[in-house]
Amino acid sequence: MPPRTVVIGVDSSTQSTKAAFVDAATGRLLAVGRAPHVVTGEGGARESDPEVWWQALRTAVAAGLKEAGVPASAVTGIAVAGQQHGLVVLDSAGRPLRPALLWNDTRSAPQAAALTAALGGPDAWTARTGSVPVAAMTASKWQWLRENEPETAAATAAIRLPHDFLTERLTGTAVTDPGDASGTCWYSTATGAYDPELLELLGLDAALLPEVATTGAAPAGSLTDEAAQALGLPAGIAVAAGTGDNMSAAVGLGLGGAGLLDHPVLSLGTSGTVFASSQARPASAALSGFAAADGTYLPLACTLNCTLAVDKVATLLGLDRNDAAPGGQAVLLPYLDGERTPDLPTASGLLTGLRHDTTPQQILGAAYEGAVVTVLRALDELLRACGLDPADPEVAARPLRLIGGGAQGHVWVETVRRLSGRPVIVPGSGELVALGAAALAMAAATGEDPVAIATAWNTGDDTRLPAVDRDMETWERVVSVLEQASEPLLGGGK
């Protein structure tokens, strides 16, 4: 019997690093090592020290290797999938000049608006990049840094996304992929390259940026001696270019560009995202027209407030997150960190409809409902932008795939079923980002197609739940409050 070979897929998210050890032949998940991150900031600021990500990667790999019970020599490849959009600025030695500005840092909202206007409006941006600048996008964060910390911007010798930073630590090579690069707003999905006019607008030298590999599965290089010693892995193993977390989840689900929106995906994590694979390049101001890791496209819409916001409400009420009931007349928009879709970067939460008989469980249930309605409305935006009518019975009957931490929670799943009225598919694995990265790692080592690898591994093996009657009363109540709310009502203002 030939010796077992193993690949490692890394999910470096906002809150933690996970290192999945996967049997390369069967796709069986042998172990997952974990290590937490530290996020700091108040008043819209969200920052993390990139060195913490590197230390977390080392810790997670060590824990996973021990749990997997395989020799380090069995590992043949590694790839990193990371949180999108974060701005990492480095000195000439590759050391961070300051903590990274994370995707959910909303301080750059004014810069996003100014950039949008400077190029001639949303349509001009979507024609080039597929997306309009919002506070989440890397370009907005770089502009914020230029205006608020000019000395740091001037001292910057390299700019990286979070997954780029870690891949460079593994290989010594500065490389990114089209998927994660498409979330910067300085990479053009129309041309497949950095956009010179946008770089000029941003005062950004292309020499500061990593090379863009053809796909996330392309070899970025091999594991250096220094990185191998730090991780306890063999030097010289394949390192894939890697990609963003949403793009990696799509690979883990076996989603390529063969069809359009047959199985839209709802990812319930720190943020709530909806995405689907497409061979056609989307270009609409209503969504982020990202590239995918495999050379196709990944139209996506994102909300800032999902599981963490609901958990915060549960904590304030002194309840377990699962101790919830339908909200009744209460409506809670849990925009605790502002919001991205709808674009309300300075908004705060809103609670209305309280009665004498309203229970804490109903208030928590209303937080779930507010988050889910926001995500489902983002899905409607995505469908419309791709030429589909959300009200079309055939479109409305298409199953939703639920992934992310919330997909493992009964209340989340049942709230999505009740408010969508759609069949729901819950993949058996809760580690799709890491499994997608593992498929990229194997592709870099073997030259095979990563989506075909994930499909053969059956990483999307799932539980299918039938549709239930849609709760239109709750839907319409939440939507009415949301549509009436303005930034001042939501606690916004500048």
Side-chain angles (χ1 to χ4, degrees), residues 106 302-305 334-335 337-347 374:
T106 59
C302 177
T303 65
L304 286 184
N305 297 278
Y335 296 167
D337 288 315
E339 193 45 85
R340 176 168 164 182
T341 306
D343 186 19
L344 299 168
T346 63
T374 304

Side-chain angles (χ1 to χ4, degrees), residues 48-458:
S48 284
D49 181 358
E51 294 293 352
V52 171
W53 302 337
W54 174 240
Q55 182 56 53
L57 175 56
R58 296 172 62 182
T59 301
V61 167
L65 190 62
K66 181 178 180 180
E67 182 184 342
V70 296
S73 59
V75 178
T76 60
I78 186 171
V80 177
Q83 54 178 305
Q84 289 186 251
H85 308 306
L87 176 68
V88 181
V89 290
L90 306 175
D91 65 17
S92 59
R95 295 184 297 262
L97 288 166
R98 70 176 317 284
L101 299 173
L102 303 185
W103 67 274
N104 53 350
D105 188 312
T106 59
R107 288 175 291 177
S108 58
Q111 287 73 27
L115 287 172
T116 301
L119 197 65
D123 290 344
W125 281 92
T126 54
R128 290 171 178 266
T129 71
S131 304
V132 179
V134 292
M137 299 297 186
T138 323
S140 306
K141 299 181 187 306
W142 170 248
Q143 192 70 2
W144 181 91
L145 190 73
R146 292 178 69 200
E147 294 177 14
N148 290 274
E149 300 179 14
E151 292 182 358
T152 302
T156 297
I159 294 175
R160 303 290 182 260
L161 296 168
H163 110 262
D164 307 338
F165 171 77
L166 293 171
T167 301
E168 189 170 6
R169 283 289 174 96
L170 297 175
T171 64
T173 303
V175 64
T176 191
D177 86 298
D180 213 7
S182 67
T184 61
C185 273
W186 58 60
Y187 172 90
S188 171
T189 55
T191 64
Y194 295 128
D195 188 306
E197 185 175 341
L198 297 182
L199 295 181
E200 183 177 358
L201 176 65
L202 294 161
L204 188 55
D205 185 347
L208 300 179
L209 304 176
E211 178 183 351
V212 183
T214 53
T215 69
S222 57
L223 194 66
T224 66
D225 291 341
E226 182 179 1
Q229 184 175 4
L231 297 174
L233 298 175
I237 64 172
V239 181
T243 192
D245 51 3
N246 292 297
M247 295 79 188
S248 188
V251 173
L253 286 165
L255 298 183
L260 174 62
L261 300 167
D262 288 333
H263 291 94
V265 178
L266 269 66
S267 177
L268 304 173
T270 301
S271 62
T273 58
V274 291
F275 61 84
S277 65
S278 172
Q279 287 187 346
R281 175 181 175 267
S284 168
L287 73 155
S288 298
F290 293 144
D294 68 342
T296 58
Y297 298 96
L298 197 78
L300 179 148
C302 177
T303 65
L304 286 184
N305 297 278
C306 198
T307 60
L308 283 186
V310 172
D311 285 352
K312 177 63 174 180
V313 173
T315 299
L316 291 172
L317 295 169
L319 298 176
D320 181 271
R321 67 181 65 169
N322 291 313
D323 189 12
Q329 294 300 307
V331 173
L332 201 165
L333 301 182
Y335 296 167
L336 307 188
D337 288 315
E339 193 45 85
R340 176 168 164 182
T341 306
D343 186 19
L344 299 168
T346 63
S348 57
L350 173 68
L351 174 61
T352 186
L354 293 181
R355 306 288 184 183
H356 275 293
D357 59 355
T358 302
T359 68
Q361 287 76 14
Q362 287 177 315
I363 295 175
L364 180 56
Y368 278 98
E369 291 166 354
V372 168
V373 167
T374 304
V375 175
L376 291 174
R377 279 169 59 86
L379 172 63
D380 288 348
E381 291 283 355
L382 187 149
L383 293 170
R384 281 190 286 267
C386 292
L388 298 175
D389 180 2
D392 183 318
E394 188 277 328
V395 174
R398 294 180 184 181
L400 301 178
R401 290 181 181 268
L402 296 189
I403 66 171
Q408 309 306 309
H410 173 75
V411 179
W412 279 109
V413 173
E414 292 308 311
T415 305
V416 170
R417 294 179 72 198
R418 176 164 58 88
L419 292 175
S420 71
R422 291 171 177 259
V424 165
I425 298 172
V426 182
S429 174
E431 305 298 345
L432 288 165
V433 173
L435 286 168
L440 296 176
M442 184 172 174
T446 64
E448 299 176 52
D449 176 73
V451 174
I453 290 169
T455 300
W457 283 351
N458 202 25

